[in-house]
Amino acid sequence: MADKPTHRPGHPGMLRLSILSAMELCWNLCEILFIEAATAGSLLVHLLDWIRMHSSDTDSAAEEVLQSENPLQHERFWDVITGYVLQARMDEARQMLAKEAAVSASTRSMCRVLDDLLRKMPKFNSQTLTEFELKWQHWREECERHLQCGTFSSSPQMESICKVLLGAEDTLLEKKDLMGTWYHFLVSQLLFTHPTVTLAEIHSYAQSCLDIFNAGDSSSEPLDNVLLAAFELDIHQVIKEFSIVTNNWWFVAHLTDLLDHCQLFQSHNMYFGSNMREHLLLEYASGLFSHHSLWQLGVDYLDHCPELGRVYLELHMERIPLSTEKKALKALRICEQRQMAEQVRSICKTMAMQAMRNRRLGSALSWSIRARDAGFATLISDRFLKDYCERGRFSDLDLIDNLGPAMLLSDRLTFLGKYREFHRMYNDQQFEEAACLLLSLMTARIAPCSFWLTLLLDALPLLEQQQVIFSAEQTYRLMSCLEDRTAAKLEQIQSEESRKSQDSSIENTKVEMLRLALARNLARAIVKEGTVQV
């Protein structure tokens, strides 16, 4: 996983390897030692694969030698052959050696003997451990006999390779530059001295090889402590040491989780309520939440933390910066799927406030409905009505037209939806239905006081129609609404210290127009209904 969350400062003496390479190196070793738990004989086979996977110097040198004009005269020709031998890549070593034999008649016989020794080196496969050890001992005796007889005395390079095959410590140390690391030295030494090493034995060889390779230098790299802990089969110490080495929780969290699933990790409970596996996953997930594009992965990790995962997720979801509506919708979907009602309301209210500040009333109303926030829905509905009074038309008609059951969230939202329905009826010339709806909106008193006059003025076109729309009873109720509104307005004016006379004059004119229209309609309605009321 190519992420880079950081939680705390890294170790000052950082690894010679990149952090990604160090994680891969340690992970592969832990797989061999803890999960595969390779047996005697096969353990070294796995370790050799591990070394080859993480060592490319020999291949680079081979490419350089082979691309030169005269490979046999290249200064690194014999280093390449020796490097192949140290990694038990005998076939490749023999191929390089064959180039020497093909050109040099003086060394041809020695090349054939060395080639034979490389070819005969036993490889552990399906035979029993006893059979392998017997073959290996016979092969080693043959190598020693050629060395003692001076078969390679005229070629220091081939004599040195023969000593390597015998596992001579001094010779191996002379070739330490070809290995580069103490753990490569460890595997190469075991290859030629103890190829049937077991898991229980390897830790003693590891510490010894580290000391010998560093020539008594006590200042080991932080990575060395991690690898030593792994060779000692102390997984808790591996977790501890790697946590010190790096500021990235990926390795320790995933390794602990893997070993726990394999039932190989004895995870003890921490003092704050979770075990070590969960603690490390919580820490790693927290780091993911701090990353702008990886926070969603943190959710998946917290879902697999049974003790504190839900608590951590609730806290992190409340703190996610909702920079875009797309991100907010992702966060909302996560909370809804996990029935986190409080976080759902928090996200919706935050987005509604942002939309309000940006004067996007439709979006604000949509978010408040999703949050089931009646108070905020009322506030936004008032803004819609105010905007209608100022502009003479509604914005976001699609949203208002499709409120459906959501309009029942608050009285004001109900009024907004029904008022829009009145306009649709009027435009469709359903005048009688529109009149009934308008009258019910006025008498229900769910509209803000500042909107009463607007509702009464909406009745004017219906009062002026050729046919009588409002009955006498309905007209009386309209008159009552007008008088109630006038009385309320009078109280408001008296409570104010000053009032613009021009606004008052315009409003008075509108009221008089309404009274006149209502009086005319009442007369027409009485005539139509054929009754005279005293």
Side-chain angles (χ1 to χ4, degrees), residues 1-5 20 23 248 250 254 284 288 294 297 301:
M1 187 177 296
D3 49 69
K4 299 182 284 186
L20 190 60
M23 286 194 293
N248 190 318
W250 186 96
H254 288 78
Y284 180 65
L288 292 175
L294 299 176
L297 294 176
Y301 283 96

Side-chain angles (χ1 to χ4, degrees), residues 283-308:
E283 290 296 323
Y284 180 65
S286 297
L288 292 175
F289 269 98
S290 67
H291 196 281
H292 71 280
S293 63
L294 299 176
W295 63 273
Q296 293 178 83
L297 294 176
V299 176
D300 295 328
Y301 283 96
L302 294 179
D303 283 342
H304 290 82
C305 297
E307 298 296 330
L308 298 176

Side-chain angles (χ1 to χ4, degrees), residues 99-298:
K99 298 181 182 298
E100 169 75 12
V103 174
S104 175
S106 59
T107 60
R108 189 167 298 156
S109 61
M110 288 184 290
C111 288
R112 288 174 180 170
V113 174
L114 184 57
D115 178 82
D116 192 51
L117 292 177
L118 296 177
R119 180 181 58 82
K120 289 181 179 179
M121 183 177 179
K123 296 179 181 178
F124 186 84
N125 41 47
S126 60
Q127 75 267 45
T128 64
L129 198 59
T130 303
E131 290 175 337
F132 172 78
E133 287 179 337
L134 185 61
K135 290 180 180 179
W136 185 77
Q137 189 60 40
H138 288 164
W139 170 81
R140 196 171 189 281
E141 289 173 357
E142 185 177 354
C143 291
E144 191 168 2
R145 184 173 65 253
H146 281 293
L147 187 63
Q148 291 177 353
C149 293
T151 303
F152 307 110
S153 57
S154 61
S155 175
Q157 296 89 348
M158 283 188 267
E159 186 177 46
S160 176
I161 292 174
C162 187
K163 290 180 180 179
V164 167
L165 295 178
L166 288 169
E169 186 175 291
D170 293 343
T171 305
L172 287 173
L173 285 174
E174 290 175 2
K175 307 298 181 182
K176 63 187 299 185
D177 290 342
L178 301 180
M179 293 175 279
T181 60
W182 67 269
Y183 43 90
H184 189 173
F185 174 68
L186 164 68
V187 175
S188 296
Q189 187 185 61
L190 290 173
L191 172 66
F192 301 114
T193 59
H194 192 5
T196 57
V197 64
T198 64
L199 282 170
E201 298 171 330
I202 197 167
H203 69 90
S204 58
Y205 288 97
Q207 184 64 63
S208 174
C209 286
L210 175 61
D211 295 337
I212 294 171
F213 194 84
N214 290 338
D217 185 4
S218 59
S219 59
S220 57
E221 290 283 338
L223 179 60
D224 298 338
N225 297 327
V226 180
L227 297 177
L228 278 176
F231 282 122
E232 291 173 1
L233 306 181
D234 188 346
I235 188 57
H236 289 87
Q237 190 65 22
V238 171
I239 300 297
K240 178 181 177 181
E241 293 292 344
F242 207 94
S243 298
I244 296 173
V245 167
T246 177
N247 58 9
N248 190 318
W249 290 97
W250 186 96
F251 177 86
V252 292
H254 288 78
L255 180 61
T256 303
D257 183 60
L258 177 63
L259 295 176
D260 184 76
H261 282 296
C262 295
Q263 299 181 343
L264 297 172
F265 187 79
Q266 299 299 320
S267 184
H268 56 278
N269 287 331
M270 314 292 281
Y271 68 90
F272 41 77
S274 64
N275 57 33
M276 185 179 290
R277 168 197 170 272
E278 180 165 318
H279 168 67
L280 294 173
L281 288 176
L282 291 172
E283 290 296 323
Y284 180 65
S286 297
L288 292 175
F289 269 98
S290 67
H291 196 281
H292 71 280
S293 63
L294 299 176
W295 63 273
Q296 293 178 83
L297 294 176

Side-chain angles (χ1 to χ4, degrees), residues 436-460:
C436 291
L437 180 56
L438 182 63
L439 186 60
S440 67
L441 290 177
M442 283 189 280
T443 55
R445 301 299 172 90
I446 58 176
C449 294
S450 59
F451 207 73
W452 288 0
L453 182 59
T454 302
L455 286 175
L456 288 164
L457 290 172
D458 283 332
L460 268 177

